[in-house]
Amino acid sequence: PTMHLLFSGNPGTGKTTVARLIGEIYHDLGLLRRGHLIQVSASDLVGNHVGETAIKTQAVIDRALDGVLFIDEAYSLTEKDRGGFGLEAVETLLTRMENDRGRLMVILAGYPEKMRNFLRANPGLERRIPEANRLEFPNYEAEELSEIFWRTIEQKGFTASVGLANKLSALFAQMAADQRPTYGNAGEVRNLVEDMVLNFASRHAGLPPEELVLEIEDLPQRWNDQPSERAASLRLA
């Protein structure tokens, strides 16, 4: 059966991480000789003049042989501003997906609706990636966002105060209810932790703390805004 997959979901839902794990699993099963991951975007495949796109695409595929080629935001290959060169990349890719199907796994990833349109752009895509090989990555729930936060700060040697924990519970609930397309999921939580650690270091500059405890005052200002204000600021970010 074909190994090629399509991952649809918003940013931060784990698509790249799962692609890397699948490569390792298929290597362990003996289905891929190396199982390494080559991650690219449309700009890595598309050239600026006639003939260049096929050369660039072939070179990227050669690097991915015996492993996984992960193309993020693959739908941009068929967008009109590519001047037709993106379609050339798709045709080249489809040929190699068939000819090297025993040595190559291609994973196409992007936003759900855009990926559905992308599949319809070339009948060969739907043939190479059957329905059973199309996986949707849902947004994280509030409890999952909270777990990601606590695991991340623990890895950095931090804990959090009770006040901060209570405030974050409400903030993560609002994040989970925010279904805008650019919702960052785990990536947004990781950015939050990085900002809080920097604020903590600034707050204790010149005076090493006895304990690494994050407080409410370490929250970035955008997270201290009222819910409606915070949602607006994130949409503008």
Side-chain angles (χ1 to χ4, degrees):
T2 179
M3 293 190 291
H4 308 307
L5 301 170
L6 183 143
F7 289 175
S8 61
N10 285 333
T13 48
K15 298 186 295 296
T16 306
T17 299
V18 172
R20 184 175 292 107
L21 290 172
I22 286 178
E24 295 172 1
I25 291 169
Y26 274 49
H27 172 260
D28 291 342
L29 292 173
L31 298 173
L32 289 172
R33 188 179 304 170
R34 295 176 60 193
H36 63 299
L37 179 75
I38 299 296
Q39 180 179 355
V40 298
S41 61
S43 61
D44 297 306
L45 305 176
V46 178
N48 296 318
H49 53 76
V50 176
E52 184 183 6
T53 293
I55 295 172
K56 291 183 68 174
T57 303
Q58 297 280 14
V60 168
I61 294 171
D62 287 342
R63 287 167 50 208
L65 282 177
D66 300 314
V68 178
L69 175 59
F70 182 84
I71 305 178
D72 199 15
E73 298 184 358
Y75 53 82
S76 61
L77 286 170
T78 57
E79 292 178 343
K80 294 180 179 179
D81 61 354
R82 295 290 174 186
F85 293 140
L87 293 175
E88 182 183 355
V90 172
E91 291 289 348
T92 304
L93 182 65
L94 287 172
T95 300
R96 294 292 298 271
M97 287 169 71
E98 178 64 24
N99 294 344
D100 296 304
R101 60 185 181 276
R103 298 186 59 192
L104 177 69
M105 170 187 278
V106 174
I107 299 180
L108 306 170
Y111 293 110
E113 184 59 33
K114 290 189 175 185
M115 291 306 290
R116 284 190 285 271
N117 294 332
F118 174 66
L119 279 178
R120 292 192 286 266
N122 188 307
L125 289 168
E126 292 191 316
R127 291 198 302 271
R128 302 297 192 286
I129 307 177
E131 188 69 34
N133 290 32
R134 304 170 196 172
L135 309 179
E136 187 163 344
F137 287 63
N139 288 330
Y140 286 113
E141 300 292 340
E143 295 78 9
E144 295 167 319
L145 295 170
S146 180
E147 183 177 353
I148 292 168
F149 174 84
W150 289 104
R151 287 190 181 189
T152 305
I153 67 168
E154 182 181 358
Q155 290 169 358
K156 295 179 179 294
F158 282 82
T159 59
S161 68
V162 174
L164 175 61
N166 292 334
K167 186 173 183 66
L168 285 174
S169 294
L171 289 173
F172 289 144
Q174 185 191 340
M175 278 183 65
D178 183 2
Q179 297 298 313
R180 73 192 193 285
T182 54
Y183 171 50
N185 287 281
E188 202 158 310
V189 176
R190 287 194 299 270
N191 291 339
L192 168 64
V193 172
E194 294 296 333
D195 289 344
M196 292 190 71
V197 169
L198 288 174
N199 290 342
F200 175 90
S202 177
R203 187 160 58 87
H204 291 277
L207 184 63
E210 294 182 3
E211 296 180 303
L212 301 179
V213 181
L214 297 173
E215 302 284 355
I216 290 179
E217 52 261 46
D218 294 319
L219 279 170
Q221 183 56 48
R222 68 183 185 279
W223 288 81
N224 273 310
D225 292 336
Q226 293 298 317
S228 60
E229 295 173 351
R230 182 185 163 276
S233 67
L234 286 173
R235 278 192 289 272
L236 292 171

